[in-house]
Amino acid sequence: MIKASAISHPNIAFSKYWGMANEKLTLPETDSISMTLSRIFTHTTVGFSNKYSQDEVEIRNESGLSGNVIHQVDQRVVKQLDRLRKLANTQKKAKVVSINNFPADAGIASSASAFSALTVAGVAALKLRMSKKELSILTRLAGSGSATRSIHGGFVLWKKGESSTESYATQIYGAKHWDLVDIILVVSATRKRKTSLQGHQLATSSPLRRNRIEATTKNNTRLLAALKNKDLKLLGNTIENEMFLLHAVAMSSAPPLLYWSGDTVEIIHEVWELRKRGVECYITLDAGPNPHIITTSKHAKEIESHFASWSMVKKRYICPVGRGAFLTDNHLF
Ligand code: PMV
């Protein structure tokens, strides 16, 4: 048995990947910029052995075992294992055990941490030597584009590229560059009805898609300037615009996708209220109802306590900027 384990954090997209230029290769239609989070993570062990007659995938979450049912994500896991086997020139089947310390598939980018942890652990188990660029490309090919950004810590740019070898993530600034914090408010921990993969596929049916691509390209220039100058106002206004652009495309797809709940809308208004009162914070959402409030460490505690008494908020995670995916000796089997 050869095995290795990795830990990887999700990332929150400041500008969003929504819609694919090439589905087979997971090539996006725009560049995207993100911040890698700390505190919440996926921990994965991958072992290859001749004693396995087929791949076994076990995905656990905070509440224990959530099953090894073969659904879409598991198929993507098996396909990624096939890519790894091809590179290492081996037929050995694998066992994968993966644990999240936060709810999966609820708009907290669990696929980003899951597929980056899987790839980093798989590459190490098979003793493949890879640069960060190659790791980022291989992670992207697993089908979760956002995972390509979690290879790096800090603030990350995923260049869309025109071909597979050009589409990968690089670090713009390390985690210490700016003390930003993502406060995640979990209003619903149930699995989303439509996966982000379905959302990407439906994006082409939205009449707003082309405009979003143009707007996101401009937003990326703004975000790079905001990060460089640590300009929270510019950053915040741009990420809110990015959130609305993504969800406008989703809502105007055929059939429409509505990821928000009433609680989501209430929290959007409350964030704007807090801002009026001088608490500098901004909101973004991925493909789910759970708000991410972006602020600096100065306001983080105050904002978290503000929402502590809101009964709709079932859980709160305060996530400062984190590091990229890394190997650990702590094996899950
Ligand atoms: O990586 P995927 O296929 O799960 O898609 C991610 C989509 C968003 O989280 C909504 C946006 C992003 O860029 O992370």
Side-chain angles (χ1 to χ4, degrees):
M1 155 86 76
I2 41 171
K3 67 180 171 190
S5 300
I7 290 179
S8 184
H9 299 285
N11 61 79
I12 182 66
F14 290 162
S15 58
K16 309 289 187 184
Y17 154 48
W18 199 247
M20 293 176 286
N22 181 323
E23 182 171 343
K24 206 164 160 261
L25 297 174
T26 321
L27 294 179
E29 295 189 298
T30 60
D31 295 355
S32 54
I33 293 173
S34 61
M35 168 175 125
T36 302
L37 306 180
S38 59
R39 299 205 180 146
I40 55 173
F41 59 83
T42 301
H43 180 179
T44 300
T45 299
V46 183
F48 291 88
S49 168
N50 286 325
K51 75 175 184 197
Y52 301 129
S53 55
Q54 59 174 47
D55 293 325
E56 291 172 27
V57 181
E58 195 175 296
I59 299 165
R60 299 178 201 159
N61 58 26
E62 323 145 282
S63 55
L65 191 66
S66 83
N68 53 1
V69 220
I70 296 294
H71 53 74
Q72 198 160 16
V73 174
D74 288 337
Q75 282 306 331
R76 289 199 274 173
V77 171
V78 173
K79 283 195 181 148
Q80 188 69 337
L81 293 170
D82 286 341
R83 275 182 207 100
L84 288 161
R85 277 188 282 260
K86 200 169 168 199
L87 288 168
N89 199 15
T90 178
Q91 312 285 331
K92 289 190 181 107
K93 297 290 182 194
K95 175 170 172 169
V96 178
V97 176
S98 190
I99 296 179
N100 280 328
N101 71 343
F102 62 103
D105 290 349
I108 313 183
S110 57
S111 63
S113 51
F115 284 102
S116 46
L118 172 74
T119 307
V120 169
V123 162
L126 293 172
K127 307 217 166 5
L128 294 164
R129 292 206 152 267
M130 272 192 201
S131 64
K132 286 242 171 173
K133 173 178 165 183
E134 289 166 323
L135 261 181
S136 171
I137 291 170
L138 183 60
T139 302
R140 193 201 77 235
L141 287 169
S144 165
S146 56
T148 199
R149 299 186 306 241
S150 277
I151 291 296
H152 301 279
F155 301 91
V156 180
L157 168 69
W158 173 19
K159 274 267 178 211
K160 72 182 174 94
E162 299 305 325
S163 65
S164 188
T165 49
E166 282 177 13
S167 185
Y168 56 94
T170 51
Q171 186 183 68
I172 317 169
Y173 298 106
K176 291 202 162 59
H177 172 69
W178 194 0
D179 63 338
L180 290 183
V181 178
D182 177 5
I183 301 163
I184 306 170
L185 302 180
V186 179
V187 294
S188 165
T190 49
R191 279 175 191 272
K192 52 197 176 203
R193 285 185 207 110
K194 290 276 181 213
T195 62
S196 39
L197 177 62
Q198 287 165 306
H200 292 302
Q201 289 164 336
L202 286 176
T204 41
S205 66
S206 164
L208 305 181
R209 175 180 147 254
R210 291 231 153 269
N211 291 348
R212 188 198 83 90
I213 294 172
E214 254 173 58
T216 297
T217 306
K218 289 187 186 137
N219 280 341
N220 280 327
T221 308
R222 290 187 189 107
L223 286 172
L224 289 175
L227 284 172
K228 183 173 177 206
N229 302 318
K230 299 184 193 162
D231 180 341
L232 186 56
K233 191 169 176 203
L234 179 61
L235 182 102
N237 285 328
T238 311
I239 65 171
E240 287 194 356
N241 183 247
E242 275 296 306
M243 162 186 79
F244 286 118
L245 287 168
L246 182 163
H247 287 275
V249 170
M251 288 176 200
S252 56
S253 293
L257 294 175
L258 181 55
Y259 288 105
W260 303 4
S261 67
D263 296 338
T264 314
V265 178
E266 238 181 276
I267 293 171
I268 292 176
H269 285 293
E270 188 63 14
V271 165
W272 290 348
E273 228 7 82
L274 282 169
R275 219 149 71 212
K276 271 193 217 149
R277 286 191 245 145
V279 185
E280 252 201 300
C281 60
Y282 298 85
I283 184 163
T284 187
L285 292 160
D286 276 345
N290 297 317
H292 293 247
I293 301 178
I294 307 297
T295 186
T296 54
S297 57
K298 184 176 157 203
H299 296 295
K301 201 73 213 112
E302 180 186 355
I303 296 165
E304 197 244 356
S305 329
H306 179 79
F307 287 101
S309 59
W310 285 42
S311 59
M312 66 174 75
V313 178
K314 299 183 178 74
K315 236 174 187 168
R316 307 176 304 281
Y317 296 97
I318 302 190
C319 307
V321 193
R323 64 189 283 202
F326 58 98
L327 291 168
T328 167
D329 288 335
N330 188 357
H331 302 302
L332 296 172
F333 62 90

